[in-house]
Amino acid sequence: MANYFLIGFTPPADVKSREDVKEYQKKLNVTQDGVWGPKTQAAYEKSKGSLAGASTPQSYADYYALAMRYAQPQTVSAGTFSTEALKKDLQGFLRPGVDSSIARRKQAAQAANAELDADAFSRGMGSSTYISSMKEREDDDMQRDITELEAQYSAALAEKLYEAMNEYQARAFAAETFNAQQKAAAQNTAATLASTWHTAANTPQKSASSGSRSAKKSMTADLSITEIYELMELLDETERYELFNGDTAYWTVVREELENSVSPEIYKKLQREFEPAPKVKMPTPGGAGIVTKRTE
C-alpha cells in the first residue's frame, strides 16, 4: 500500500502525494482524506466521462471493464510438447546401451566362429561342411539376438514416449483448469469492484466537515470482507505491521477506517491473521541474536 493510494487503484500521473490527492478530491467533491481509493477512482472516472461530453454517469459495464484491468488473472502454461524432440532425446539416452549390446553380441559370434576354425585346423579338417554349418548356426543365433535387442529398444522408446505424452496432457489439463479458475475469480473480483465503484459514483457525497464517523470511512467502507482480505494479501510484511501498529498520520487514518468498516470481532481476526510478529532482541548462548516473537 502506497502512502497516498490503495493497491489496485492508479491515480493520474500528476498525483504524487497525499496533498495532490486532496486537491483532486476537492475538485471531485469527495471526502478529502488524501488517499486514492474506490470512491475517488469512481468520481474521477465519472468526471472523465463528463469532460468527454457524456450526459449520464458511466454504466456498470464501463466500471466492469475498468475493474478487469486491475483484476487481470495470473495464468500458467504447460509449455510446448514436441514428439520428435523428445524422441531424439530418448534415443540419445537409450540407443548407446543397445548399440553396445549388439557390438558385444557380434564380437561373441566372431569369437565362436574363430574357435571353430581353429579347432578344425588343429584336427586337419580344413573347410568342412560341418564347420560351415556350425558357423551359419552361430550367425543365425547372433541375428536373432540382435533382432530381439532392436525390438526391446523400440518397445522401450514407445513406452517412454507414451508416458511423457500422458504426463504432458495431464499438465496441460491442470494448467487449463487453473487458468479457468483464475479467470472466474478475476471476473468475480471485477464484478464486486465495479459494483462498488458504480454505487460510489452515483451516491451523493456526505460533507467531510460533519465530524461523523461515516465521513471517515472513505477507504474501506464500501469494500466487502472478501475485498478487504484481498487487499491484505497484497500488503508486504512491513506495511501490515504499520497498518496495525504504525503511529504516522497516514497509517493511523487507515487503521481507523479499517476499524470503522468492520466489526470488532472481524478486526481482531484480521489482526491475528495478518499482523506480522515483531522482531525483538533476545539473548542467545554465546552472544546476542534476533528472534521473532509474537506479542499477544
Side-chain angles (χ1 to χ4, degrees):
M1 183 183 293
N3 62 354
Y4 61 91
F5 65 90
L6 290 177
I7 292 177
F9 299 91
T10 305
D14 58 337
V15 175
K16 300 179 180 179
S17 67
R18 291 175 63 89
E19 293 303 319
D20 292 342
V21 175
K22 288 181 179 180
E23 287 296 324
Y24 259 94
Q25 289 172 330
K26 183 177 181 181
K27 296 175 183 178
L28 296 171
N29 193 30
V30 296
T31 304
Q32 298 173 41
D33 59 4
V35 179
W36 194 284
K39 284 192 175 181
T40 306
Q41 183 75 42
Y44 175 68
E45 296 295 335
K46 179 180 176 181
S47 70
K48 288 199 303 184
S50 298
L51 292 174
S55 58
T56 58
Q58 293 183 359
S59 67
Y60 172 82
D62 295 328
Y63 284 106
Y64 180 80
L66 175 65
M68 277 301 294
R69 296 208 298 267
Y70 296 111
Q72 284 296 321
Q74 293 183 347
T75 58
V76 296
S77 172
T80 58
F81 182 84
S82 170
T83 303
E84 288 303 317
L86 179 60
K87 183 177 180 180
K88 185 176 180 180
D89 289 342
L90 289 173
Q91 286 173 332
F93 175 73
L94 297 174
R95 191 69 215 182
V98 176
D99 290 340
S100 179
S101 296
I102 291 175
R104 287 196 300 270
R105 184 63 185 90
K106 287 181 177 180
Q107 290 173 356
Q110 291 173 354
N113 288 337
E115 289 178 358
L116 287 171
D117 287 337
D119 183 67
F121 179 80
S122 66
R123 294 171 183 271
M125 297 174 63
S127 177
S128 67
T129 303
Y130 172 76
I131 296 300
S132 298
S133 176
M134 290 293 290
K135 291 171 68 175
E136 288 178 359
R137 188 179 302 173
E138 178 62 29
D139 288 341
D140 290 341
D141 289 343
M142 177 190 70
Q143 290 299 326
R144 281 195 298 271
D145 290 344
I146 291 175
T147 300
E148 178 64 22
L149 288 170
E150 291 288 1
Q152 291 175 356
Y153 163 72
S154 298
L157 182 62
E159 181 181 4
K160 294 296 183 183
L161 283 172
Y162 178 77
E163 290 175 353
M165 184 173 294
N166 281 344
E167 182 180 349
Y168 171 77
Q169 290 176 343
R171 290 202 308 269
F173 178 76
E176 184 179 349
T177 301
F178 176 83
N179 291 341
Q181 292 171 342
Q182 290 296 300
K183 181 179 179 180
Q187 290 173 336
N188 289 337
T189 299
T192 302
L193 287 174
S195 177
T196 298
W197 294 349
H198 185 261
T199 300
N202 291 278
T203 300
Q205 299 294 323
K206 294 183 179 180
S207 173
S209 62
S210 62
S212 65
R213 291 184 68 189
S214 62
K216 295 182 179 180
K217 297 164 63 175
S218 59
M219 182 175 293
T220 57
D222 294 318
L223 298 183
S224 67
I225 188 63
T226 300
E227 291 173 297
I228 291 176
Y229 264 84
E230 290 173 352
L231 289 176
M232 287 289 185
E233 293 289 352
L234 293 173
L235 300 180
D236 61 31
E237 184 173 321
T238 300
E239 290 170 331
R240 291 179 185 174
Y241 182 81
E242 290 295 327
L243 172 62
F244 292 105
N245 301 279
D247 55 4
T248 63
Y250 171 71
W251 288 111
T252 300
V253 170
V254 174
R255 184 164 54 252
E256 289 178 354
E257 291 172 348
L258 179 61
E259 290 175 333
N260 289 335
S261 64
V262 297
S263 66
E265 292 76 14
I266 294 297
Y267 179 82
K268 291 180 180 179
K269 186 174 184 295
L270 290 170
Q271 190 173 22
R272 287 195 302 270
E273 292 185 20
F274 293 103
E275 181 184 9
K279 292 182 178 179
V280 298
K281 291 186 177 180
M282 297 287 287
T284 57
I290 302 296
V291 299
T292 300
K293 181 180 180 181
R294 174 172 291 280
T295 55
E296 299 296 341

